[in-house]
Amino acid sequence: MLTRNYISLFFLSLIFISCGTKHKKVDDSLVLERDTTVIVPMSVSALMLDSNDFSVFFKRHPEYLMDSVKLRTFYLRRSMQYAWLNDEGINEQAGSFINQLLHLADEGLPADTLIPVEAFQQLANGIPVKEMLANNKDETLADLEFRLTLSFFRYANRVWGGVASRDLRDFEWFIQRKPIDDVQLLDSMLMNAGDFFQHEPVYEQYGFLKNQLRFHRDLEKNTKWDTIICRQKELVKGSTDSCIALVKLRLRYLNDFKEQDSSLLFTDSLESALINFQRRFGLTMSGKLNATVLKELNVNLEERIKQIMINMERCRWVPSGKASDYIAINIPEFKMHVFENGKDVWSMNVVVGTEATQTVIFNGMLSTIVFSPYWNVPASIIEKEILPALRKNPGYLAAHQMEAIRPADPSSPINPQSVKWSKFTGYNLPYIIRQKPGPANSLGLVKFLFPNSYSIYLHDSPARHLFDKTDRSFSHGCIRLSEPAKFAEYLLRNDSIWNTSKITAAMKSGSEKFVKLKKKLPVFIAYFTCWVDADGQLNFRKDIYGHDKRLGEFLFAPANVTSAL
């Protein structure tokens, strides 16, 4: 979803075929007569298959039956030519794919014992096919050919597509996932030589995180990661402490501290390194060494590796063909990013929902600006906050610039004194309670609508002080913007009717006004707790809603780690 300039919105196990797959009888009627016309661009081998090869293969490997139609169709389309093998061995494409399989751990997935890696390893080592078959009487050329093809299908769906689509809602992810056409991808791979895997069909953050996964695994293997303890609660430039040398070393491992300095003195360079570290972790950039910084420095590498793998998984879910101009909000980062031509042109701080009133992960099309908006209070807030107050004091509405109206007659507010509020709940109230436009309105002076079933939108806020906090999860679910006027100007920049003064006047008019955008803009609300920024630096954020925890429990569960290809 997101580019390198951001978690560029736009997060294991290898789950391909379940060991419990129900076997089905092979339907030989699915084998059609072969078209002997050779498609030249696809002609990569003189070896040819026949219908009996399919029957033999599926009787020997019933675990692959679910893909029988797809396999037959693929080879009929290529006039039954082999795709991977020839008389001498494997072609270049097969070599590239086998190399990917042999380095499956780099994809943030565990290698699976049911991938025929051992046989593929022999091929990768240059042993001719005939010699390999002579040492393994149970194999045939067709067996190897089919298993390479089926392995590619499963590789494409798991490595580039992610967990089964039915599972995404379990992880609170409602962005429409990208489709995976494994047959089309295989055709594309076979038409390209060795460079196909240099441009994998996934959101580019995936590749950046894959590099970071390798880096952190090397750190885990080659460094000592003991807990750092400081005697003083807070250290600043000029301080000395026995822990400072360890902090410098830890920050050098993480590429924040560049000097070969092992002294116990808190130097200017250490302060700069801490500021960079704090920026990468979304902390207050004070340059001080305190308990918050130490806590992040002491997180073990195994946990960081899992966090990277979890976010690599989310990268697999991001839809392809994303518009080059779009809005991306990353919930754990508390930021909104504006993208033009795929580049992050500017961003702003946002406030998102609390853990109890979480902002939903989904996408939509921003279509309307509402200046000087009313705020129609949601039923849940009426139930929990408004009605209890009204039962005690019918003057509560007036004191908070609110009014109750009948849906059929919004221009005639009712008298709160005339209603017996104890008769109703927030969910059967026959009135709409709304807050009038103005500076005290909870939506501020402007809101931005992208129709959705979650009643979530972007809006201004009178509570300006919240935007300066590092943790900005305070809303009921909607997203508050720190620079709403700038955003309105941006959206209307190509509309000659609107300029800065007119936008300011509309925001302060106290009269609600709807403005339809001439061109709708895609909006993605995502959840990434680590990503690589425009400077190539890895960022981490807290798992504020527990989504990492739930996804990690699923991905790293023993039953999933050992699932079959």
Side-chain angles (χ1 to χ4, degrees), residues 4 38 41 67 76 83 111 189 234 251 343 349-350 363 505 511:
R4 179 179 177 181
V38 174
D67 280 331
L76 284 169
M189 188 265 184
E234 184 174 89
L251 289 172
K343 294 184 177 180
N349 290 345
V350 301
N363 61 300
S511 178

Side-chain angles (χ1 to χ4, degrees), residues 102-329:
L102 298 176
H103 294 87
L104 204 56
D106 289 347
E107 308 299 330
L109 299 167
D112 193 283
T113 56
L114 293 187
I115 304 175
V117 171
E118 292 78 10
F120 294 165
Q121 178 71 70
Q122 296 180 66
L123 294 175
N125 289 341
I127 298 176
V129 169
K130 292 178 181 178
E131 180 183 338
M132 194 197 76
L133 295 181
N135 296 327
N136 190 344
K137 302 299 183 183
D138 291 331
E139 292 287 359
T140 66
L141 283 178
D143 261 312
L144 287 171
E145 173 71 22
F146 289 154
R147 286 202 288 168
L148 276 166
T149 298
L150 291 165
S151 293
F152 183 91
F153 291 157
R154 287 150 183 75
Y155 180 97
N157 280 285
R158 184 61 187 92
V159 174
W160 298 327
V163 298
S165 59
R166 65 180 180 273
D167 295 319
L168 296 195
R169 291 178 180 270
D170 295 337
F171 308 123
E172 304 299 327
W173 184 279
F174 298 96
I175 296 174
Q176 183 179 1
R177 74 185 298 156
K178 68 178 180 184
I180 288 290
D181 187 334
D182 46 12
V183 175
Q184 184 180 36
L185 285 169
L186 179 52
D187 284 340
S188 178
M189 188 265 184
L190 293 171
M191 290 292 290
N192 291 280
D195 64 345
F196 178 84
F197 290 101
Q198 302 301 314
H199 308 282
E200 295 178 283
V202 285
Y203 163 46
E204 66 174 344
Q205 272 290 322
Y206 179 87
F208 302 145
L209 290 177
K210 181 159 65 172
N211 291 334
Q212 290 293 335
L213 179 63
R214 294 192 194 103
F215 173 79
H216 280 75
R217 281 176 169 163
D218 286 342
L219 275 184
E220 185 181 38
K221 181 179 179 181
N222 299 312
T223 61
K224 193 175 181 181
W225 211 262
D226 293 334
T227 299
I228 300 173
I229 300 174
C230 293
R231 292 176 299 175
Q232 303 173 55
K233 289 185 178 180
E234 184 174 89
L235 295 168
V236 298
K237 186 170 61 175
S239 301
T240 57
D241 192 285
S242 58
C243 73
I244 287 179
L246 294 175
V247 170
K248 289 176 180 177
L249 181 61
R250 182 69 47 88
L251 289 172
R252 188 159 67 246
Y253 286 150
L254 297 173
N255 293 321
D256 292 292
F257 187 67
K258 306 298 182 182
E259 297 186 5
Q260 295 291 328
D261 175 12
S262 58
S263 72
L264 305 184
L265 177 64
F266 196 126
T267 61
D268 289 341
S269 297
L270 178 56
E271 182 182 58
S272 297
L274 284 169
I275 289 173
N276 191 65
F277 180 85
Q278 289 165 333
R279 180 191 63 79
R280 295 195 301 112
F281 283 76
L283 307 175
T284 300
M285 293 186 292
S286 65
K288 299 176 181 179
L289 179 58
N290 52 34
T292 303
V293 173
L294 273 180
K295 182 179 179 181
E296 296 295 345
L297 282 171
N298 284 326
V299 171
N300 66 62
L301 288 170
E302 181 183 6
E303 186 174 336
R304 291 297 183 210
I305 287 169
K306 285 185 175 181
Q307 190 173 357
I308 293 169
M309 293 168 72
I310 285 167
N311 285 274
M312 287 176 69
E313 178 63 36
R314 291 194 182 106
C315 288
R316 299 180 176 106
W317 306 343
V318 175
S320 57
K322 180 177 69 275
S324 59
D325 296 343
Y326 60 98
I327 305 300
I329 296 105

